[in-house]
Amino acid sequence: MTIQWFPGHMAKARRQVTEKLKLIDVVIELLDARLPLSSRNPMIDEIVSGKPRLILLNKSDLADEAVTKAWVQYFASHGVTALPIDALSGRGVNKLPLECQALVEEMMEKRRAKGMQDRAIRAMIIGIPNVGKSSLMNRLAGRKVAQTGDRPAVTKAQQWVKVGKVLELLDTPGILWPRFEDPLVGLRLAASGAIKDEIIDFQEVALFVVAYLRMHYKDALKNRYQLSNLEESKLALLDEIGRKRGCLVSGGHIDYDKVAELILRELRGGKLGRISLERPDDRFTIDMARVSMDEITPY
């Protein structure tokens, strides 16, 4: 699935981030624990180059715990600290101030050597839309300081928020990149809800999800939808799920839009269990997720 989407407010957000960087001590990069690499904006490395960085793997409560541990090890092997968190419940969030202090300790020592007093650490929270930045801000501040929602692009402007005497946080709007060169990246992001549903092909994304679940989470797929035979084609599985859940139109034909929306809604809501859509050693190719829409018989 090729998606090109770079609204004007995202281009503006990138300029704002670049302008504020000179005020920032550490960058907190928020990723989706279910798809860490696919939810990393490749432009971020260019934008925040040279700044100490802490990676937070948010929504870890929805991700496969074993896979998340593998991702923590993956980032550690690249010299980056990654913390699994759940911004909504607060799990793991209390470690953030200490990790930020460790990252800027050398800078603070240089300030002390010059006779300057310690001050709050200035951190920027950055990430793609709908990854949970506003929820994290609210959790850290202990009050509602940022608007939250289950749709991307809720945050439209930057704001500073004080977190005790230790941190001053700068929230930023989510920034997507102009084009997803790897079709799998677009599929994973669409499945997770990071892209507005209005511009995605629900059926294509649902077929990708079914194929991926069949490969890595057979029991979850079979048990949730009471499937009898996972050896069937992806389309046949979609048909069976549609029949089981009553996603039909007159004549008993499958309503593919309805069943596709159902699968994505249940995946995003954790109804299939803790699912990761990406893993460090993934060899899942786009060819394994593809199905021709010509195979679907119009009703």
Side-chain angles (χ1 to χ4, degrees), residues 10 12 26 50 126 155 181 192 203 274:
M10 289 195 177
K12 180 181 178 182
V26 60
I126 198 164
T155 302
E181 298 293 344
S192 73
Q203 295 177 17
R274 300 180 67 162

Side-chain angles (χ1 to χ4, degrees), residues 184 187-188 190-192 201-222 224-225 227 229-242 245 254 256 258-268 272 275-277 284-291 293 296:
L184 270 178
L187 287 166
R188 291 187 185 112
S192 73
D201 184 330
F202 269 72
Q203 295 177 17
E204 186 176 0
V205 179
L207 286 165
F208 158 75
V209 169
V210 168
Y212 196 85
L213 292 176
R214 185 173 62 177
M215 172 172 282
H216 294 291
Y217 300 98
K218 291 183 178 180
D219 289 342
L221 182 62
K222 187 174 182 178
R224 181 64 186 174
Y225 299 114
L227 301 175
N229 182 11
L230 292 184
E231 300 307 315
E232 295 182 300
S233 70
K234 297 178 289 293
L235 183 55
L237 290 176
L238 214 62
D239 286 345
E240 189 173 352
I241 294 171
R245 291 302 188 88
I254 303 298
Y256 288 104
K258 187 174 181 179
V259 69
E261 184 177 354
L262 174 118
I263 291 169
L264 294 185
R265 185 174 66 248
E266 295 200 340
L267 173 73
R268 296 170 184 174
L272 288 107
I275 304 292
S276 290
L277 294 170
F284 188 69
T285 66
I286 190 61
D287 291 333
M288 301 175 74
R290 249 187 208 135
V291 65
M293 288 298 108
I296 298 179

